[in-house]
Amino acid sequence: MVIPAALLFFAFHTYPALKGIYYSFTNWNGITLDYDFVGLKNYFNLFKDETVKESYFFTFKFAIFAAILINIISLAVAIGLNAKIKGRNFFRAVYFLPNILSVLIVGFIFNYVFTNIIPRFGEKYNIEFLTANILGNADLAWIGILLVFVWQACAFNIILYLSGLQTVPTELYEASSLDGANRWQQFWKVTFPVIAPFFTINMVLAMKNSLMVFDQIVAMTGGGPGTSTMSISYLIYTGGFTGGEFAFQSANAVIYFIVIMFISIIQLKILQKREMDM
């Protein structure tokens, strides 16, 4: 029963990945049938390409801010939704809704919001800083993408944190309350140590997904203005499939995979060690 699934996985995942690694050692442009082996030339050229350097800088900056914001907001909302409030199930459904929406559709909607609705609102009420389209500003466009990305990514992380919060025994809260612990002390000494494994999972997932940001950029900025919001994954796509750099961007994809894997392993080691220290 496992063989059909394994064959499909190999055909549509493993084989293309191996083929991409193979092409990274060639000069194939993705169109012609002829190509030559160039060894590690593509890998050496990656470190000389300014566009590649800029895309790595943007992606890391974006991922750090996104991962931190996603976890802070998700944990805060999850704590609120875990409390005994009216309409708790309704609010849980509302906060999970962004997770089931198409990322591209959401991106196109917010593109229209940032381009038309917010500037008109700013003009109508004479709010100067809202009159300009944030996506048209090379210094601020990434913030617009960040806001949309964090809003949509929080939905899944909230569910994971809610699952973790429901594993905290109520007896611990009662005991800490009798000892005179306030809300913050209960969170830091009781809640957080118990949900530490969920924090580890969420941090790794948030960082990995942020490093792979793609759909929002396609829908909102197309990597612009200029190359100010050009993420690594979007550069690999545009350069590889439309820029005649298939082999070069295949090498970029291999390096990118190694970087993401390395960051994820480091995160797991550090955060799991913190779990044991707690």
Side-chain angles (χ1 to χ4, degrees):
M1 291 180 69
V2 175
I3 290 175
L7 290 175
L8 287 171
F9 184 82
F10 178 82
F12 293 103
H13 183 275
T14 309
Y15 177 73
L18 294 174
K19 199 73 172 176
I21 296 172
Y22 168 78
Y23 283 129
S24 71
F25 297 104
T26 71
N27 61 356
W28 190 42
N29 61 9
I31 301 172
T32 61
L33 297 177
D34 300 324
Y35 57 85
D36 299 311
F37 285 92
V38 295
L40 296 172
K41 184 179 178 180
N42 289 324
Y43 291 91
F44 289 128
N45 288 337
L46 280 174
F47 297 97
K48 302 175 184 177
D49 193 296
E50 289 301 320
T51 304
V52 172
K53 291 178 183 177
E54 289 174 7
S55 68
Y56 271 82
F57 175 75
F58 164 76
T59 305
F60 286 131
K61 176 181 70 172
F62 180 91
I64 291 169
F65 277 95
I68 293 172
L69 287 174
I70 288 169
N71 280 279
I72 291 174
I73 296 170
S74 298
L75 183 54
V77 173
I79 291 171
L81 293 176
N82 194 53
K84 295 179 180 179
I85 56 174
K86 282 187 177 181
R88 183 169 59 176
N89 292 334
F90 169 77
F91 286 113
R92 286 180 179 180
V94 168
Y95 279 103
F96 185 69
L97 183 63
N99 189 63
I100 62 176
L101 299 176
S102 167
V103 179
L104 274 175
I105 298 298
V106 169
F108 285 125
I109 292 171
F110 274 94
N111 187 350
Y112 182 80
V113 170
F114 285 123
T115 306
N116 295 281
I117 296 177
I118 292 179
R120 289 180 184 177
F121 180 85
E123 290 172 3
K124 184 176 180 180
Y125 293 99
N126 295 319
I127 306 174
E128 189 175 346
F129 73 94
L130 293 180
T131 56
N133 174 17
I134 191 175
L135 300 180
N137 188 318
D139 296 323
L140 301 176
W142 73 278
I143 296 177
I145 299 170
L146 180 69
L147 292 173
V148 177
F149 184 88
V150 169
W151 173 74
Q152 194 157 26
C154 279
F156 182 71
N157 290 55
I158 288 170
I159 297 300
L160 290 180
Y161 276 128
L162 269 174
S163 301
L165 289 169
Q166 290 172 6
T167 65
V168 183
T170 55
E171 293 82 3
L172 293 179
Y173 291 121
E174 293 171 0
S176 62
S177 180
L178 291 172
D179 290 336
N182 56 34
R183 291 283 185 181
W184 172 250
Q185 289 172 328
Q186 285 183 341
F187 169 77
W188 193 245
K189 298 295 184 180
V190 177
T191 305
F192 195 73
V194 176
I195 66 168
F198 294 87
F199 176 76
T200 299
I201 293 169
N202 275 341
M203 277 299 297
V204 173
L205 289 177
M207 180 61 75
K208 188 265 293 182
N209 291 335
S210 302
L211 286 169
M212 296 175 65
V213 59
F214 178 81
D215 292 350
Q216 289 85 359
I217 293 174
V218 171
M220 297 177 70
T221 63
T227 57
S228 60
T229 59
M230 181 73 73
S231 69
I232 305 169
S233 55
Y234 189 71
L235 176 63
I236 292 170
Y237 169 74
T238 53
F241 291 100
T242 63
E245 301 178 336
F246 191 90
F248 180 71
Q249 295 302 338
S250 292
N252 195 9
V254 172
I255 296 296
Y256 187 36
F257 166 75
I258 293 171
V259 168
I260 292 177
M261 183 176 65
F262 178 76
I263 291 173
S264 298
I265 291 172
I266 294 297
Q267 276 186 292
L268 282 171
K269 293 233 176 241
I270 293 173
L271 293 173
Q272 285 178 344
K273 184 181 178 181
R274 182 179 174 83
E275 288 175 29
M276 289 186 288
D277 292 340
M278 286 181 173

